[in-house]
Amino acid sequence: MSSQVDTGDAIRVFLLDDHEVVRRGVAALLSAEDDIEIVGEAGTAGQALARIPAVRPHVAVLDVRLPDGDGVTVCREIRSAIPEVACLMLTSFDDETALFDAVMAGAAGYVLKQIHGSDLVGAVRTVASGQSLLDPRSTARMLRRIRERQERKDPLKALTGQERQILELIGEGLTNRQIGERMFLAEKTVKNYVSHLFAKLGMSRRTQAAAYAAQLKSETPGNQDREH
């Protein structure tokens, strides 16, 4: 979490946006507030990474899309080097991927450039106080993406215990009838299980499943040890 600004202290803000007009507009908007002070600006990721550590802002308002990179990378590097800086991502696009990447990089908030001025001021104050600024709909969308990524990384998480066991037996070359005998299930029941696990793994042929099961078996640490 970012450190909270002490009561009475001005919120020190750094601005990163490659469009000078946008940057000046945001600077003028925030500077008009008695409790906010602009301590630095940059138009590129490189400039921001060089200047932010020197001025130590409470909040860094970062444009997501930049000519020499992106604000998400800046956020990740700044949060790694100076964890107390709260990063507020500012973008023209309601981009789900950017939202996911920004939150994974440690951003405290994510707002669109179409936001009303008073709302942007409020967003800066919110993240400066150590709070997160992610609306529930965006957060739910992000969590769904995390879950989908994890399932793509480990498709087996989507399988039940029975389906995993059947996959292993397919890998051993057993037919549905043989699997049924081994697991005390009707052949038709096994066929249904096989259809479900094929759908979950995105497969259409038994040979695909057998090859996948064999690959998983070879990647299991215990099996690797036995092979050497």
Side-chain angles (χ1 to χ4, degrees):
M1 289 293 293
S2 59
S3 60
Q4 296 186 9
V5 179
D6 293 332
T7 306
D9 287 353
I11 301 169
R12 297 165 57 81
V13 176
F14 187 96
L15 301 177
L16 167 60
D17 196 300
D18 61 324
H19 293 101
E20 186 182 0
V21 172
V22 173
R23 203 167 65 242
R24 284 188 177 184
V26 173
L29 173 75
L30 296 177
S31 297
E33 302 297 319
D34 294 337
D35 61 337
I36 298 176
E37 175 190 359
I38 303 300
V39 294
E41 297 181 24
T44 66
Q47 290 172 353
L49 289 171
R51 295 173 186 173
I52 290 175
V55 297
R56 295 272 173 168
H58 295 117
V59 178
V61 179
L62 309 173
D63 189 9
V64 169
R65 297 171 188 268
L66 299 165
D68 64 334
D70 59 82
V72 173
T73 302
V74 173
C75 173
R76 186 179 296 110
E77 295 198 24
I78 291 301
R79 292 283 300 160
S80 176
I82 321 169
E84 62 270 22
V85 176
C87 294
L88 181 63
M89 312 308 296
L90 188 62
T91 181
S92 305
F93 309 92
D94 187 7
D95 188 334
E96 198 171 306
T97 302
L99 168 65
F100 176 86
D101 292 341
V103 175
M104 290 296 98
Y110 181 99
V111 293
L112 298 178
K113 287 182 180 175
Q114 294 90 330
I115 191 172
H116 291 296
S118 59
D119 292 335
L120 178 58
V121 170
V124 167
R125 288 178 178 144
T126 296
V127 298
S129 71
Q131 298 178 62
S132 176
L133 186 83
L134 287 165
D135 68 81
R137 188 179 59 194
S138 296
T139 304
R141 222 165 48 195
M142 181 198 68
L143 291 174
R144 187 170 67 248
R145 284 181 64 83
I146 292 173
R147 189 165 60 249
E148 288 170 357
R149 281 194 180 188
Q150 287 174 336
E151 285 178 0
R152 281 201 298 271
K153 198 178 291 183
D154 182 11
L156 292 182
K157 283 187 177 179
L159 301 184
T160 65
Q162 288 273 63
E163 288 166 349
R164 286 193 190 206
Q165 192 175 349
I166 289 171
L167 178 62
E168 289 174 10
L169 295 176
I170 290 174
E172 292 177 19
L174 273 62
T175 64
N176 286 353
R177 177 175 293 178
Q178 291 169 326
I179 291 171
E181 291 171 355
R182 179 81 66 90
M183 297 180 65
F184 305 104
L185 296 170
E187 185 177 353
K188 187 176 180 182
T189 303
V190 174
K191 188 175 180 182
N192 288 336
Y193 273 122
V194 170
S195 295
H196 287 145
L197 76 88
F198 278 12
K200 288 179 180 179
L201 296 176
M203 297 176 179
S204 56
R205 295 193 300 276
R206 201 177 186 88
T207 50
Q208 288 176 295
Y212 182 58
Q215 179 188 343
L216 290 173
K217 192 173 182 180
S218 70
E219 290 174 355
T220 303
N223 290 322
Q224 287 178 335
D225 293 341
R226 284 195 290 273
E227 287 171 7
H228 294 298

